[in-house]
Amino acid sequence: MDPVIIVGAGPVGLALALLLARQHVPAVVLDEGPGKDEPRPARTVVLREDTAALLERLTGVALGEHGVRWAGWRSLRRKQVVSEVAFDAADPAAPLHIAQHILTNALRAALADEPLVKVAVDSRLDAVEQERSGVTAHTRGPRGTWWRGSYLVGCDGPRSTVRKLQDIRFPGRTAVERHAVAALRAELPWKDQALLHRMPPWRSSGPSAGEVTARPLPDGVWRLDWLLPPGKDLVTPEILVARIRETIGGWTDSTTPTYELLDTGVHTVHHRLARRWRAGRVFLAGDAAHLLGAFGTQGLDEGLRDADNLAWKLATAWHHGPHEALLDSYQTERRAVVAARLRAADQALPVLRGGGGLRSIVPGATRGHDTLLADGHLGRGPLGASGTYADSPLAPRQLEATIPVGTPPGVPVTDVRVTAEDGSFVQLRERLGRGALLVVLIAPGTGVWDRKHWVSAGVMPRLAAAVTALPHPAELLVAESYPGAPAHSVLLVRPDGHLVTAFSGVRPADLYAAAEATLGGAAQEERQEQRQEERQEATATAQAGSGAR
């Protein structure tokens, strides 16, 4: 079967190629550039715990050694500290701040050792044709040629050629926010702590007072972002240097602050959402499908979740034939999550940026505003938290044996230690991204015994037989405990780490039904029932009309 064609060699496209390769699906990455990223210290990303872990699994690189996991977060207003959050050194909730070119280079290095992936540099897409059996893409440039693929995924950014060729609308709002950005080396009072300072006292009053964000990088480097007033005023080097000096001077009480300027830029935030994320065998992911980023939210986070969601579904279709309901669920799940975050940001914009608003009528509203902004930066609440797939079309119908556990259905599972089929102890998250469903038995006490002593005892033989009979490859794991799960409960987990459901005891029929639904079987069945009803209704109408004549 033909490889999956991925258009775009940014972090999302490269991560998708690696995810597919881990599931034994070949891919071709069409890179319109020369195949390397120039270092840009002012172009950085903040990764939440789950997306940082995903990239570390794919690259084998400890990203914390190349970025900074925040030791804390501080919100200031004028001269007052409004709120503080401290993170322990091992706290998984601590965001990771890292230069984007480091991520891209780590992904490229991992792909260089991956025989299933070909990266075609200097290859700019200019045509896509698809038919029932596959898709064909044409690239121009020094290496212009035709490429044949099974599916095609546009990861080619905000100006996506793939999206335009498929005539997919991309409505939304332009220039929601603008920020002047600088990367510089300086000594600031908050080691490894990120900072949001609203209306700093050294700025004049009015809309130009704005806010400034400081986020640490390794080796004493910081990225500073100044919120710019509405409009298209140019940010000249003189204006930027003046802002740097007054900001660092205000924080360090120095009239002649010392710093080394490394890089500058202007970051414009747009909010857009593609109408469709699938057109036959063509899909959109990352910035090609959505743009968001106001209030500290990170679009790359969502793009990586797009790739993780889509990869196992494409792999299933590639290995096992058409799974239309499963492929359709990519758009349904991911678009709903991103749309919810965009709605939350659009609702907050007039309150947080409009001047007055709630602040003028609700006592204490200012503190609420700072909490909202912190949520966006820290990945919490409606502005920052990653969404769930609770309403997914892949969710199984309510089964009698289902029980609640600490993780609701549709939410990523907790990363507990498990015993794998070979008897080794691993983290649950390490078994993700291999294309297999995960079945986890909660069996207290098993961790102190060698696997050979309990693998053939109790419920294990019956559960192992049930897992073997599932309609999709699955791996059986055993955990001593899981939050909120009683002994002998069984968890079914999707290949991308989201909980499908949990059962009380071994229920082979229910486990099979839930696995079938996870592959789109339930949705397919419902569609077939709906078509049958429509056919029956049409037949009845035709017969009634015939009788009337």
Side-chain angles (χ1 to χ4, degrees), residues 163-184:
R163 188 185 63 242
K164 293 173 184 175
L165 290 174
Q166 297 304 303
D167 196 25
I168 296 174
R169 292 183 59 202
F170 198 39
R173 303 176 64 183
T174 300
V176 172
E177 290 184 348
R178 291 173 69 237
H179 297 262
V181 182
L184 49 90

Side-chain angles (χ1 to χ4, degrees), residues 88-150:
D88 294 333
D91 192 337
L96 172 67
H97 187 212
I98 189 169
Q100 183 166 316
H101 71 268
I102 292 177
L103 292 182
T104 307
N105 290 338
L107 289 163
R108 288 187 186 277
L111 282 173
D113 297 326
E114 182 48 71
L116 284 176
V117 179
K118 174 181 176 61
V119 179
V121 299
D122 298 319
S123 298
R124 184 176 180 82
L125 181 79
D126 63 3
V128 174
E129 299 175 2
Q130 60 172 313
E131 59 276 349
R132 189 171 182 179
S133 60
V135 61
T136 305
H138 184 265
T139 55
R140 58 184 173 87
R143 305 180 184 224
T145 187
W146 287 95
W147 301 87
R148 180 67 180 173
S150 53

Side-chain angles (χ1 to χ4, degrees), residues 263-282:
D263 191 19
T264 63
V266 174
H267 175 53
T268 303
V269 176
H270 309 287
H271 279 179
R272 294 187 178 276
L273 185 65
R275 291 289 191 194
R276 293 179 294 143
W277 292 25
R278 182 188 182 191
R281 289 179 172 266
V282 176

Side-chain angles (χ1 to χ4, degrees), residues 153-296:
V153 186
C155 304
D156 48 344
R159 296 180 176 86
S160 171
T161 300
V162 174
R163 188 185 63 242
K164 293 173 184 175
L165 290 174
Q166 297 304 303
D167 196 25
I168 296 174
R169 292 183 59 202
F170 198 39
R173 303 176 64 183
T174 300
V176 172
E177 290 184 348
R178 291 173 69 237
H179 297 262
V181 182
L184 49 90
R185 184 174 283 108
E187 269 194 51
L188 297 184
W190 313 283
K191 180 175 173 55
D192 292 345
Q193 292 188 38
L195 170 78
L196 173 67
H197 199 160
R198 302 189 74 197
M199 303 192 74
W202 55 85
R203 293 291 297 161
S204 59
S205 60
S208 63
E211 64 189 39
V212 58
T213 306
R215 288 172 283 198
L217 287 163
D219 302 322
V221 176
W222 293 80
R223 169 173 165 168
L224 272 57
D225 291 59
W226 292 267
L227 178 66
L228 297 173
K232 297 182 179 180
D233 296 340
L234 291 177
V235 180
T236 64
E238 293 76 17
I239 291 175
L240 189 56
V241 167
R243 290 211 172 193
I244 292 171
R245 292 180 62 84
E246 70 180 4
T247 300
I248 299 178
W251 284 338
T252 60
D253 294 324
S254 172
T255 55
T256 56
T258 301
Y259 65 93
E260 178 187 0
L261 184 60
L262 305 175
D263 191 19
T264 63
V266 174
H267 175 53
T268 303
V269 176
H270 309 287
H271 279 179
R272 294 187 178 276
L273 185 65
R275 291 289 191 194
R276 293 179 294 143
W277 292 25
R278 182 188 182 191
R281 289 179 172 266
V282 176
F283 299 81
L284 300 178
D287 286 351
H290 51 76
L291 295 175
L292 70 164
F295 311 130

Side-chain angles (χ1 to χ4, degrees), residues 528-549:
Q528 290 172 350
E529 291 175 356
Q530 183 179 359
R531 291 194 193 103
Q532 180 66 21
E533 291 174 359
E534 290 172 352
R535 283 195 293 268
Q536 290 174 351
E537 183 178 347
T539 301
T541 301
Q543 290 174 345
S546 177
R549 287 193 296 271

